[in-house]
Structure formats: structure tokens, C-alpha cells
Amino acid sequence: MNDAAVPWLTPDEQHAWRSFVRLNERLEGRLARRLQTESKLSAADYAVLVNLTDVGDGRQRYQDLARELEWEKSRMSHHIARMAGRGLVVREDCPDDGRGAYVVITAAGQAAIETAAPRHVTAVRELFLDHVTPAELRLLAEMSERIVQRMDEDPR
């Protein structure tokens, strides 16, 4: 694509985009620091544990978890190995697929997420929810869901 064909951002679009990026980076950074300080979990640990507790039996196939988190296969393998080393999860072979495997939350992982979640929710409220109106929150949810749906339809 040559430079003349690039649909450059208008000043309003650029302002909105950069504001959104700054918000996302700051929010993620501060939430991650609080998680680490208060719960000894990284943001990645928390994301894995939340996904595992969202499914009834606390187990999810590696590939499904990686897809949900938007992680590459190697990142998933390395991170799950580190979490397994700390006793938060275990890897179990998939009985109906010799190449597949499950990530399964352990009792220690369950205890860690139960300790971290209330603190994390408090931080989300303090840093984000307390600063938006209910109408803004509904609009943000609608926009986010629409954009995620579009990305899911075309996963490039």
C-alpha cells in the first residue's frame, strides 16, 4: 500500500485512539502491579486462573486456553510450565487425543484466585468503574463486544 492510499487518522480519530491506548496501558500496568504486590500473581497468571475457574471443572484444553488469551503456543507452554512449577496448575493428557492436553487448576491455584479476586475487583473499581457512569459503562460494553465480535470473525 503506498503512502497516498493509507487512510490516515483524522485528528479526532487519532486523539480517541491514543487516549484509548493510554488508558489501556495504564490500567493494565497498575492492575498488574497491584496483583503482583498484593497476591504474588502476575497478570498472566490471573488471566489463566480466571479462565480455568470460568469453566465448571477447572480444566481447559491448551489450544482453547491459548485462543481465549490470544497467546502463541510457545508462550502458553512456557507460562503453564512456570505455573505448574509453582503448583497453581497441572498438565493432564487428553485421553481422546494423544497429542492434546488439558491445563487444570489445582487446589493451590483455586486458593490463589480466591485470595486475589476480591483485591483485583477492588482495584478495578478504584481505577476504572468509579470514574464512569452507568450509561458510559453500557456504551463501552456494547462497543467492546461489537469490536471483539468483528475481530473473532476475521482473526488475522
Side-chain angles (χ1 to χ4, degrees):
M1 179 180 289
N2 70 30
D3 203 43
V6 174
W8 294 107
L9 302 181
T10 67
D12 286 344
E13 289 170 336
Q14 188 174 58
H15 175 75
W17 174 247
R18 287 184 177 176
S19 295
F20 170 75
V21 169
R22 255 191 324 278
L23 167 66
N24 190 48
E25 290 170 346
R26 291 220 177 114
L27 189 57
E28 284 184 2
R30 291 191 187 182
L31 289 171
R33 282 192 299 279
R34 284 194 186 189
L35 266 173
Q36 188 67 50
T37 300
E38 296 172 357
S39 305
K40 306 299 184 241
L41 293 175
S42 69
D45 294 338
Y46 191 81
V48 168
L49 294 174
V50 163
N51 273 276
L52 292 175
T53 57
D54 281 350
V55 293
D57 59 356
R59 78 181 47 237
Q60 205 167 9
R61 289 182 67 116
Y62 262 79
Q63 64 191 27
D64 295 338
L65 184 57
R67 187 174 28 259
E68 190 67 31
L69 295 172
E70 296 271 343
W71 288 2
E72 297 294 327
K73 184 179 176 182
S74 63
R75 178 180 181 190
M76 177 62 66
S77 290
H78 290 297
H79 195 80
I80 296 304
R82 286 191 298 274
M83 290 180 73
R86 292 171 30 228
L88 300 172
V89 298
V90 293
R91 180 190 184 283
E92 289 182 0
D93 291 331
C94 181
D96 34 317
D97 178 2
R99 295 178 301 164
Y102 288 101
V103 179
V104 184
I105 193 168
T106 63
Q110 188 67 44
I113 194 74
E114 287 173 3
T115 299
R119 294 175 175 148
H120 184 67
V121 168
T122 297
V124 168
R125 286 196 178 285
E126 289 173 3
L127 295 170
F128 182 71
L129 294 173
D130 290 348
H131 307 285
V132 297
T133 67
E136 290 168 331
L137 194 60
R138 281 190 300 277
L139 179 59
L140 177 63
E142 290 170 13
M143 291 168 40
S144 298
E145 288 168 358
R146 183 177 67 242
I147 293 167
V148 167
Q149 181 180 2
R150 291 293 301 261
M151 286 192 285
D152 286 350
E153 291 167 2
D154 183 10
R156 283 186 279 164

